Amino acid sequence: MNEGFRNIHEDDKNLLRESWLIIYRNLQKIGVNIFNMIFEQCPEAKFLFPFTDTSRKDSDFIKFHSLRFLQAIESVIKSLDNLNEIDPLLTNLGHVHGKLKERVDFKPEYWNVFRECTLFHFRRAMEKNNIIIRTRRLFGMSESKEINVDHLITLWSLLLNYLIEEMTKSFRADVRARELNKNNWLQNEDEQNNAHLAGRKATMRTQLAGQMKTSVEQRNKRENSCCGFKCFGFDQHYDNH
């Protein structure tokens, strides 16, 4: 699917750019609406922000993060003629969310919710734009043509799929790398623990062998220094008799 988006016609690129200008007029409002709809459609997404009050629909937090969503889309729009320029950014976004997988159990399925909510509000914005065009034309105030909303939504769906697929690839690669590093760390820890245990056992065996050797040497020394009854003065006792 990515190759299909990379090869879209120049006219379709221009349609995306023109429709983005419509979105850009109310960028913050549309972004906030998308973000709040995500929370409505997928309440568990709120747990991605454990230290934030997501109940305020127009909070600075909502405004900030919704704009970050749309800035990623804007970056793709600006790189339509050379999508390789945007690949490092999308790769980095995937890695960032890979960290969230470990911290707050982020799931790539959340991006699908983001896509559907984005398409819903993009459609609304473009349909409102068509209404404005028809109204102005009715009063002779505009000669602009209405846009084909269905075709544009198809193009936007391709763009969002491209964005999500690229992020998902680096997300999964990051998760695999973290799991591998964790497994290697656990294996190294086990090896170190086993080596430490083996060392302790060897030390204990050496100490025990040393203690046994000392005990034997002390016993032999006593036996070698003993001359029978003389050691107890019995020889003198019998000699006197």
Side-chain angles (χ1 to χ4, degrees):
M1 185 174 294
N2 282 357
E3 291 304 317
F5 180 71
R6 288 178 180 272
N7 297 320
I8 63 173
H9 195 274
E10 194 65 31
D11 290 343
D12 288 333
K13 292 180 183 179
N14 290 331
L15 286 174
L16 284 169
R17 294 186 182 104
E18 291 170 5
S19 61
W20 176 250
L21 294 177
I22 297 172
I23 304 300
Y24 198 81
R25 293 173 196 162
N26 295 294
L27 190 65
Q28 187 173 87
K29 181 179 179 180
I30 292 173
V32 168
N33 289 339
I34 291 171
F35 218 73
N36 285 316
M37 187 177 181
I38 290 173
F39 288 154
E40 292 172 0
Q41 297 295 317
C42 185
E44 65 182 87
K46 295 179 181 180
F47 296 116
L48 299 176
F49 311 98
F51 304 108
T52 305
D53 181 9
T54 57
S55 61
R56 291 182 53 200
K57 295 187 176 183
D58 60 345
S59 66
D60 291 339
F61 162 80
I62 296 290
K63 293 176 182 178
F64 173 75
H65 282 278
S66 62
L67 284 177
R68 290 185 67 183
F69 271 114
L70 295 178
Q71 284 171 351
I73 295 176
E74 183 180 32
S75 297
V76 179
I77 289 293
K78 290 181 177 180
S79 303
L80 284 175
D81 289 330
N82 184 11
L83 290 174
N84 291 332
E85 294 178 351
I86 198 66
D87 285 347
L89 172 62
L90 301 184
T91 298
N92 182 63
L93 286 173
H95 290 323
V96 168
H97 287 82
K99 296 178 182 178
L100 292 178
K101 166 67 176 176
E102 191 172 45
R103 295 175 184 173
V104 290
D105 194 26
F106 175 86
K107 300 178 179 64
E109 290 78 13
Y110 293 146
W111 283 326
N112 295 330
V113 180
F114 160 68
R115 177 187 58 203
E116 297 307 314
C117 294
T118 300
L119 292 175
F120 176 85
H121 284 286
F122 277 20
R123 176 182 285 276
R124 286 188 63 184
M126 287 181 279
E127 287 176 345
K128 287 181 179 179
N129 184 73
N130 275 350
I131 293 174
I132 293 173
I133 290 175
R134 286 197 296 270
T135 303
R136 288 181 175 178
R137 190 188 304 154
L138 182 64
F139 290 96
M141 299 170 60
S142 174
E143 295 182 358
S144 300
K145 295 181 179 180
E146 296 181 36
I147 56 179
N148 186 333
V149 176
D150 289 337
H151 180 62
L152 273 170
I153 290 300
T154 299
L155 294 177
W156 277 109
S157 181
L158 287 173
L159 184 149
L160 293 173
N161 286 341
Y162 163 77
L163 185 151
I164 291 171
E165 287 178 17
E166 290 299 312
M167 290 192 298
T168 300
K169 284 193 295 186
S170 58
F171 169 84
R172 297 194 186 284
D174 186 85
V175 170
R176 284 195 299 269
R178 290 177 183 278
E179 290 177 348
L180 181 60
N181 290 337
K182 183 178 180 179
N183 291 336
N184 288 339
W185 181 84
L186 291 174
Q187 182 178 354
N188 290 336
E189 186 178 41
D190 287 341
E191 291 175 353
Q192 291 175 0
N193 289 338
N194 291 337
H196 177 72
L197 182 60
R200 288 286 298 166
K201 289 181 177 179
T203 300
M204 292 176 65
R205 285 196 296 268
T206 301
Q207 291 175 344
L208 181 59
Q211 292 173 356
M212 293 178 64
K213 181 179 180 182
T214 300
S215 177
V216 170
E217 289 176 348
Q218 290 176 347
R219 186 173 65 249
N220 291 339
K221 185 177 181 180
R222 287 197 301 269
E223 291 177 352
N224 292 334
S225 62
C226 180
C227 52
F229 291 114
K230 291 182 180 180
C231 294
F232 298 93
F234 290 137
D235 55 335
Q236 185 178 2
H237 173 76
Y238 285 104
D239 287 343
N240 292 334
H241 287 78

